[in-house]
Amino acid sequence: MTGAGGAWSGPFLGGIPVDPDAPTATAWLRDELAKPPYQAARPTWFDLVSKAFFDWFASLGVPSGAGLGPWVPLVVTLVVVAVVVVAVLVFGLPRWNRRSALQHEMFGRNDARSSDELRRAALSAASHKDWNLAISEMFRALARSLIERTVLFITPGTTAHNFADRAATAFPEERVSLRTAADLFDGVRYLNAEGTESGFLSLAALESALRTRTPTTREDPAPTAMR
């Protein structure tokens, strides 16, 4: 601020007004504007966005009265879009997130490994002649591969035999092999059966064959999510 003659009337030295140079005056002004009362009065990002939106909307020249009719669909559309954007920003994408979480649940275990990782784990177990683990991991690799290819989907509670029956819909020529694979998995996983090398090799051959085969059908994920 300046007094008569343009002298700065803010800071004083010994009661005598000081007439600062330009850089000093700028610094004093910046310090003054940084005080809480001035900062509180600054518009927020929401204020700026809202103002920009309404300025843009006003620039469209929306008519009033009887001429408003043709603009109603545009206004409704803009409102709906705004609501959807706010909902996504606040709540995220719960259905998609839920789908991702559901796919990690596989045959009674929370397992987020990819089909490649499961396949390597199965081969590693086989190299140590741990046929039970090798069979279990290879069956999971088979299931994960079909999930990754969106051939079918599983949810918590899906059993090996339920999976095999649904996979047989996509690969009807392998119906018997898929049922046998489910029997092998349930045997080593739940029935204390002893896995064998021949059982593992047959399962590994099935997994390899299905990996490169085109399914005859694909499941709709929406109904599956409700199972």
Side-chain angles (χ1 to χ4, degrees), residues 111-126:
D111 195 336
R113 289 176 294 173
S114 68
S115 60
D116 286 340
E117 291 172 322
L118 287 162
R119 194 177 303 112
R120 286 195 297 269
L123 294 175
S124 175

Side-chain angles (χ1 to χ4, degrees), residues 2 12 15 46 71 73 84 95 99 109 138 143 155 160 182 204 210 219:
T2 58
F12 290 83
F46 183 78
W71 289 88
V84 170
R95 284 182 60 85
R99 163 61 59 191
R109 179 188 297 175
M138 187 58 74
T155 58
L210 294 185
E219 283 189 347

Side-chain angles (χ1 to χ4, degrees), residues 120-135 137:
R120 286 195 297 269
L123 294 175
S124 175
S127 70
H128 293 88
K129 300 188 183 304
D130 187 346
W131 304 119
N132 283 24
L133 180 59
I135 288 171
E137 297 288 62

Side-chain angles (χ1 to χ4, degrees), residues 22-124:
T24 303
T26 300
W28 287 351
L29 181 59
R30 186 179 296 113
D31 292 341
E32 181 69 18
L33 293 177
K35 293 179 180 179
Y38 295 99
Q39 292 298 312
R42 293 181 61 184
T44 65
W45 68 268
F46 183 78
D47 296 329
L48 296 174
V49 171
S50 299
K51 183 178 184 303
F53 172 79
F54 286 113
D55 288 346
W56 168 78
F57 189 72
S59 71
L60 297 178
V62 179
S64 59
L68 185 61
W71 289 88
V72 171
L74 174 61
V75 174
V76 172
T77 300
L78 291 174
V79 171
V80 170
V81 170
V83 170
V84 170
V85 170
V86 171
V88 170
L89 291 175
V90 174
F91 300 107
L93 301 170
R95 284 182 60 85
W96 294 352
N97 292 338
R98 180 172 178 268
R99 163 61 59 191
S100 177
L102 287 177
Q103 294 308 306
H104 289 170
E105 178 72 24
M106 188 163 60
F107 309 130
R109 179 188 297 175
N110 187 20
D111 195 336
R113 289 176 294 173
S114 68
S115 60
D116 286 340
E117 291 172 322
L118 287 162
R119 194 177 303 112
R120 286 195 297 269
L123 294 175
S124 175

Side-chain angles (χ1 to χ4, degrees), residues 141-210:
L142 187 158
R144 179 66 71 197
S145 177
L146 297 187
I147 293 169
E148 291 171 348
R149 294 167 58 194
T150 66
V151 175
L152 54 78
F153 301 87
I154 62 175
T155 58
T158 298
T159 65
H161 280 86
N162 174 263
F163 165 81
D165 289 342
R166 286 158 49 202
T169 302
F171 304 99
E173 70 281 5
E174 298 291 357
R175 183 177 300 276
V176 174
S177 297
L178 284 163
R179 292 287 296 179
T180 301
D183 288 339
L184 285 170
F185 176 81
D186 280 350
V188 301
R189 187 82 168 85
Y190 304 111
L191 304 177
N192 296 319
E194 286 295 326
T196 63
E197 180 179 8
S198 61
F200 169 75
L201 291 177
S202 66
L203 178 53
L206 175 63
E207 191 276 336
S208 178
L210 294 185

